[in-house]
Amino acid sequence: MCTVTWWRSGEGVYGVLFNRDEQRTRPRSLPVAAFSDPGGTDFVCARDGAAGGTWLMGNAHGVCVGVLNHYEAAGVLPPGERSRGELPVLFAAARSVDDVEERLPGMSPERYAPFLLVAWDGLEERCWQWDGRALARRTPKCALLTTSSVRSSEVVAWRERRHAESAAEGEAERAGATGLEAPRWLERFHTDTAHADGAFNVLMARVDARTESVCRIVVDSVSVRYRHSRRPANPALADETFEAMVARY
């Protein structure tokens, strides 16, 4: 039930935007903060208010890792014995996308329900899927991954189409971009509510679930900056925004 996109502006600068969708009954996310892993690597992430895991992490080496539920494979499989929110932090010390891939076998994917894992560094991004049987590379159609537990194929197709339309509409804005912030069209995409059925929208809203937060990471040669906008249960209220950063090594 999440959506992640990414952008690059050259010289290793890149950003990730992540809409975290959750059940309305689940506790709210905890504000983003900086941490250190057992080996001393600094990283930054927001955390789930129930299980304590995360959906998006960025570390001082300039590596980001995110996880989404893989609903296409999850229907007939039992839930995992461990929370998928543990996964990004398992790679908190990774120095590159290659390093993430080298560490994958040691995470024992069979302990988790199906997932999509994506990692970024200053040069590239890479995605893998665990379908409950095999862990394999996955190639996204574009700089977008999105999932839905309801009418999955229809919802994914709608969001992919909206992403392409938004990118085309934003072409004229590219000349004014600073390179150190997300393109305005991409920010708009993450708050898109164009569909009459809220389940289809990137800023998702259903009776049982909704987009709980919108997170943004910007990575450059100096720092990893994380902005966590937590959406209130009452749509009439303003978002709560928290920020944290770690310096690059």
Side-chain angles (χ1 to χ4, degrees):
M1 294 191 297
C2 297
T3 298
V4 61
T5 65
W6 53 95
W7 55 272
R8 296 183 181 274
S9 63
E11 298 184 358
V13 177
Y14 73 94
V16 178
L17 288 85
F18 200 119
N19 281 26
R20 182 217 185 199
D21 302 338
E22 268 300 347
Q23 295 293 319
R24 292 183 183 271
T25 55
R26 195 174 184 92
R28 300 182 74 191
S29 56
L30 303 178
V32 62
F35 305 91
S36 293
D37 85 331
T41 301
D42 296 331
F43 67 95
V44 64
C45 69
R47 291 192 180 266
D48 176 62
T54 190
W55 50 100
L56 180 64
M57 177 280 308
N59 72 16
H61 295 297
V63 175
C64 294
V65 178
V67 66
L68 301 85
N69 295 347
H70 185 13
Y71 292 107
E72 295 168 359
V76 297
L77 297 171
E81 63 182 70
R82 303 190 68 89
S83 169
R84 287 169 286 202
E86 296 178 349
L87 292 169
V89 176
L90 291 180
F91 303 97
R95 295 172 178 267
S96 65
V97 166
D98 285 338
D99 195 7
V100 171
E101 188 155 50
E102 289 173 6
R103 296 168 186 258
L104 282 173
M107 72 176 197
S108 302
E110 65 276 3
R111 298 182 299 172
Y112 302 93
F115 61 79
L116 303 178
L117 189 78
V118 58
W120 303 262
D121 62 20
L123 298 175
E124 63 173 319
E125 60 279 338
R126 208 169 294 169
C127 178
W128 304 267
Q129 66 178 26
W130 167 248
D131 62 4
R133 300 174 181 85
L135 183 66
R137 285 262 197 109
R138 174 174 174 140
T139 302
K141 295 179 181 178
C142 56
L144 163 73
L145 283 172
T146 188
T147 65
S148 175
S149 62
V150 173
R151 300 171 67 180
S152 178
S153 60
E154 297 173 68
V155 170
V156 169
W158 165 263
R159 293 176 185 171
E160 289 176 344
R161 185 163 63 252
R162 287 296 296 158
H163 182 266
E165 292 169 351
S166 298
E169 292 166 2
E171 186 65 35
E173 300 173 356
R174 296 180 193 278
T178 66
L180 294 176
E181 59 185 23
R184 290 188 293 273
W185 71 265
L186 197 54
E187 289 279 359
R188 291 196 298 271
F189 171 73
H190 277 263
T191 59
D192 185 64
T193 56
H195 202 289
D197 184 342
F200 281 71
N201 289 321
V202 177
L203 197 70
M204 191 270 286
R206 301 196 316 244
V207 172
D208 63 324
R210 68 188 183 104
T211 297
E212 188 271 342
S213 58
V214 180
C215 297
R216 305 158 180 86
I217 292 183
V218 176
V219 179
D220 59 27
S221 62
V222 176
S223 65
V224 178
R225 294 176 284 122
Y226 195 127
R227 182 154 50 100
H228 170 207
S229 296
R230 193 171 66 178
R231 303 183 63 238
N234 182 350
L237 300 177
D239 292 359
E240 295 178 284
T241 298
F242 310 93
E243 296 186 0
M245 65 162 285
V246 293
R248 288 289 307 274
Y249 293 148

